[in-house]
Each structure stands twice: as structure tokens, then as C-alpha cells.
Amino acid sequence: MNFDSIITIAAFGVYLIFMICIGMYFMGKSRTTTDYFLGGRKLGSWVTSMSAQASDMSGWLLMGLPGAAYLSGISAGWIAIGLAIGTYLNWLLVAKPLRQYTKVANDAITLPQFFKNRFQDESGMISVIAAVFILVFFLFYTASGFVSCAKLFSSVFGIPYLVSLLVGAVVVISYTFAGGFFAVCWTDFFQGLLMFFCVLAVPTIAIGSLGGPSDFLSQVQDFNPNFLNMFVDGETNTPYTALGIVSLLAWGLGYFGQPHILVRFMGISSPSAIKKSRRIASIWVLISLTAAVLIGVSGRMFLGDGLLVTAGNEETIYINMVSRIFPVFIAGIFLSAILAAIMSTADSQLLVTASAITEDFYHNKIRPNASPSELMWVSRICVIVVALIAVFIATNQNSTVLGLVEYAWAGFGSAFGPLVLCSLFWRRTNKYGAYAGIIVGGVVDLVWAQLSGGIFELYEIVPGFVCGLIAIFVVSLLTPAPSKEITDQFDSYHTCEE
């Protein structure tokens, strides 16, 4: 190992030790499952917004999206546009109502528990079904984070892929295991700041080194005019179809069903803090996504076509640019931003999955009388077990970050998105409609994703979301209306303030 590698490892080490220290600090503050999974509903505006966006973006922000732009140009930005719109609408429409309703609905601390309490499902099966979908889709989502981490370490240090995979997993498990929701949110806050600074600095410096914005645009135009055309794929030079654009914009639909983002809304200190959080989050995501696309386009001019030799290697564009632009220790700090992006999502997903298994399956069905101490340790064991399964999925070295995220994102958007919206805004929704929405939306998404050609090229979240929404409406109207107690609770949550 050469001197440069040692310096870079030192930079990584400083960052990772800081993250683990945060986890250790909050270990003693998580005394109940409400503390461990929801932070006692004590998060402020800045921590809520930054942790929500950091956990949202994952390694996709610095690897998946820049890689897509490296191949296709600014047309990769259709996904970014969909995500920016989805982010804003999620904060505008869902954040405050969900914070209020989960408090009124017997202080629900997980999304499946909210569904159970919202529809007063005494069997508890709705929370079990929701927990199963969370487990399935988050295994793939968490695996995408570990793939990002493995690619980072193997690209920078030449460490074997599997060794890199295990190193990243151990760090994430350590502070999630220890500190729970507080640790996850505070680490995500610092990671969100680091990600924002780095994703903005890299394309700015690269474009400056290419002669400034005007010269940069001229170089891109000379290389391939379609790289600056939103309606043409710069990789294949073929125009996008309406189906293709809808598929990319449809990523925004996924926000309404992402448990690791929705739980931030549930944990904020008061509904009145949400407006400020929405502004911070919207500005963060708009600037970050734009900069991520610019990393890919400027990287193609800065590095040329060298990353096209190996399939999937385009996702290392940020790593290669940082290594070329900065001195060794500074490069290590900027490369730590990828760890920030990876860990800020993986930790949230591990925690939400553990909460679903612990509260909505173990506590709900196996040990209703389990003590808080027992539930805490079951939660921590779940974090380890789920992480190990995700690591196993990530051992497939042909996996791409974008591909794994795409699959899980659509699954959550289809299974939970329609029900979250109907639960909050349609008084007539009943538990039968809720069952139908989760099952139909989730199954349609899973089946559609396995088909190809023609209409099946449409991103599976569209048919999954639409079919889930229709199922909720049709089944709710064909079955008995919810009880007066349920509708009274629905009416009362609008006036819940703290």
C-alpha cells in the first residue's frame, strides 16, 4: 500500500470514527422502542429535513445519477425532475398530516403500525403484510448501499470487492445498532451537509478547469449535441418516447410510500416545524440533483470515454474525478461523501426494517407482553440479521446501484404510496380497501418488473401505483363503511396540534 492510499484511509478513518462516536453518544438515550425507532418525536427542522434528504438519496446521488448522465447526458435529468417534484409534494401534502395522524392513532411509531391503528384492524394482519413488503424491498435497497460501498473501496484502494463489502457493512451496523433513530438522524444531518458541499464543488471545479461554462458547453456540443438535449438519449442518440419520459418522471410517485422518509415526518418535534423543513429539503434536493447530473456530463469531458470499457464502471465517475482534481487528503474527504450518501440511506433502511419486524411482527404476533428491554434487543438483533442478508444480495458484483434502487423504490411506491394518501385524505377508506391496496399495488409492481417489451417498458411504479389506488377505491366502496369511531378519529386529526 502506497503513501497516498494511507493518507486517503486516514481521511476515511476520521470520518468513520466521527459517525461511530455519534452512535455511541446516543446509545444511552434510546431507552424505549419509541426512542430507538422515532427519537421520541423530538427532531428539529434542520435535522429532520437534512436527514430525510440524505437518507433519500443514498449512493445513487454520487454514483447512480452521475453514471447515467456520463452515459446519456442531461436527459438523465428527467429522473431528477421527477424526484424534485416528488420531494416537494411529499413535504407539502404528507408530512404534516402524517405527523398529526400517527400521534392521534395511538401514537404509532412505524408505518405498518399506523395502518393497523388507522383502520383499527384487531387482527393486526395489515401490519404483518406491510412488514413483509418492507423486509423484501428494503433488502434490495440496503444491498444497493453496500454495493456502492464495495465499489468505492475497491476503486480507491484496490481492495477486493467482498472485503470492501464487509468493511462498509460493519460500520453501518455499528452505529445503527448502538444509537437507533437519534444516531441515524444526527449522522444523516452531518452526512447531508457533506454530500451537499461535495456534489456542488466537484462539477464547479471541473467546469472551471475546462475553461468555464461557455467553453464547457462548446466542448459538450462538439462531442455530441444530443448530450445537451433533454429529449434525446445521448448514449444511443435516439429520441425519448412519451413512455420513456413518463417512466423517468414517475420516480417522483415513489416518495409517498418510502418508509425511511415518512418516518422522519413522524419524528419531527411539532407540526409547525414542517414548513421550515420543507423549504430546506426542497432547496437541498434541487441543487444536489442538478449538480449530480453536471458531474456526469462534465466528467465525460474531463475524463473521456475510459469508463466505458467495463459495464457498470460509469458509476465510479465521481470517484475518478475526485482522485484527479484534489490532493490526496482532500480527495479522501470528498470520497467520504460517498460513504455519507451510502450510510445515510442504509442505516435508515436497517432501522425501519428492524422496527417493522420487531413492532409489527414480533411484538404484534409473537410476544405481545414483551418488555421494553426485550424489544430493544430484538430490534438490535434484527439490524444485524437484515444487514447480513443484504450483504449476501450485494455479493453479486454485476449489480448496479441504479438497478437495485429502481426495483425497491418502485415496490414501496406501489405498495404503500396509494394507501398513505388515501389514509390521510379519504375518509371512506376502510381496512378491506387498505389490504387490497397494499397487496394489489405490491404484486402488480413485482409482476410487471419481470416482463419486458412494448407497454411493459413502462416503469413498474406507474401500473403498480395506479392499480393499488383503484383497488383501494373499489374495495372500500364495495365493503362496509368504516365505523363512526374511525371516522371521528379521522376528523379529529386535522385539529391535532402540539
Side-chain angles (χ1 to χ4, degrees), residues 40-62:
R41 299 185 191 266
K42 297 174 183 177
L43 295 184
S45 295
W46 275 94
V47 174
T48 300
S49 58
M50 295 298 287
S51 67
Q53 297 319 123
S55 67
D56 164 17
M57 287 303 163
S58 74
W60 181 85
L61 179 68
L62 295 174

Side-chain angles (χ1 to χ4, degrees), residues 22-279:
I22 292 175
M24 295 300 108
Y25 174 77
F26 284 110
M27 186 171 186
K29 297 181 180 295
S30 297
R31 297 183 178 87
T32 67
T33 51
T34 301
D35 290 335
Y36 192 71
F37 292 135
L38 211 57
R41 299 185 191 266
K42 297 174 183 177
L43 295 184
S45 295
W46 275 94
V47 174
T48 300
S49 58
M50 295 298 287
S51 67
Q53 297 319 123
S55 67
D56 164 17
M57 287 303 163
S58 74
W60 181 85
L61 179 68
L62 295 174
M63 297 185 78
L65 182 55
Y70 177 85
L71 292 177
S72 302
I74 66 169
S75 61
W78 283 114
I79 298 177
I81 293 171
L83 291 175
I85 294 171
T87 295
Y88 181 78
L89 291 178
N90 203 29
W91 279 97
L92 180 68
L93 300 177
V94 175
K96 185 175 180 179
L98 186 64
R99 170 63 174 78
Q100 292 171 306
Y101 211 157
T102 53
K103 188 69 176 177
V104 169
N106 200 26
D107 201 21
I109 64 173
T110 70
L111 192 61
Q113 193 178 79
F114 167 63
F115 293 149
K116 175 189 173 184
N117 295 352
R118 160 69 171 85
F119 300 106
Q120 297 185 10
D121 180 24
E122 295 181 1
S123 71
M125 282 307 298
I126 191 170
S127 61
V128 173
I129 293 171
V132 169
F133 275 104
I134 284 176
L135 177 60
V136 170
F137 289 123
F138 264 153
L139 284 174
F140 288 95
Y141 212 149
T142 307
S144 74
F146 292 151
V147 168
S148 300
C149 201
K151 286 187 175 184
L152 171 63
F153 284 124
S154 58
S155 296
V156 176
F157 305 118
I159 299 174
Y161 181 89
L162 294 180
V163 176
S164 302
L165 192 61
L166 292 175
V167 170
V170 167
V171 174
V172 174
I173 292 170
S174 297
Y175 69 79
T176 306
F177 176 92
F181 191 74
F182 269 131
V184 164
C185 288
W186 274 100
T187 53
D188 287 358
F189 170 73
F190 290 111
Q191 288 169 159
L193 292 176
L194 178 62
M195 290 160 62
F196 182 80
F197 173 75
C198 293
V199 78
L200 194 58
V202 170
T204 301
I205 295 172
I207 291 171
S209 70
L210 292 168
S214 179
D215 287 350
F216 163 67
L217 291 175
S218 296
Q219 291 177 48
V220 178
Q221 183 73 24
D222 293 340
F223 167 71
N224 183 350
N226 289 329
F227 250 57
L228 299 176
N229 190 337
M230 284 290 294
F231 296 93
V232 178
D233 185 338
E235 181 183 13
T236 61
N237 294 314
T238 56
Y240 276 108
T241 62
L243 199 68
I245 293 175
V246 169
S247 291
L248 295 174
L249 288 174
W251 278 70
L253 281 177
Y255 277 102
F256 302 123
Q258 303 300 318
H260 59 302
I261 298 173
L262 298 176
V263 74
R264 264 53 180 196
F265 302 159
M266 297 160 62
I268 198 168
S269 58
S270 70
S272 61
I274 288 174
K275 186 175 182 179
K276 180 179 178 182
S277 293
R278 181 175 71 242
R279 291 172 177 169

Side-chain angles (χ1 to χ4, degrees), residues 312-443:
N313 205 39
E314 71 277 358
E315 291 189 338
T316 64
I317 177 64
Y318 174 86
I319 298 171
N320 282 275
M321 289 179 71
V322 165
S323 299
R324 287 275 297 274
I325 292 173
F326 299 105
V328 179
F329 186 79
I330 302 300
I333 298 298
F334 272 76
L335 292 174
S336 294
I338 298 181
L339 282 181
I342 296 164
M343 295 193 300
S344 61
T345 302
D347 56 16
S348 301
Q349 293 159 351
L350 285 175
L351 195 63
V352 170
T353 309
S355 70
I357 296 172
T358 303
E359 287 292 328
D360 305 308
F361 183 71
Y362 184 83
H363 195 196
N364 181 21
K365 286 296 183 183
I366 299 177
R367 290 272 291 170
N369 298 320
S371 67
S373 176
E374 179 182 343
L375 293 175
M376 283 289 294
W377 279 106
V378 170
S379 304
R380 287 179 164 131
I381 291 169
C382 286
V383 166
I384 296 174
V385 172
V386 171
L388 291 176
I389 299 173
V391 166
F392 176 76
I393 294 172
T395 56
N396 178 5
Q397 299 188 35
N398 294 321
S399 299
T400 64
V401 177
L402 187 60
L404 289 168
V405 170
E406 181 180 33
Y407 183 75
W409 186 267
F412 281 126
S414 300
F416 296 147
L419 183 55
V420 168
L421 294 175
C422 288
S423 296
L424 298 175
F425 299 110
W426 192 37
R427 195 170 182 264
R428 181 63 174 76
T429 310
N430 63 19
K431 68 178 180 180
Y432 306 105
Y435 275 101
I438 293 176
I439 295 171
V440 171
V443 170

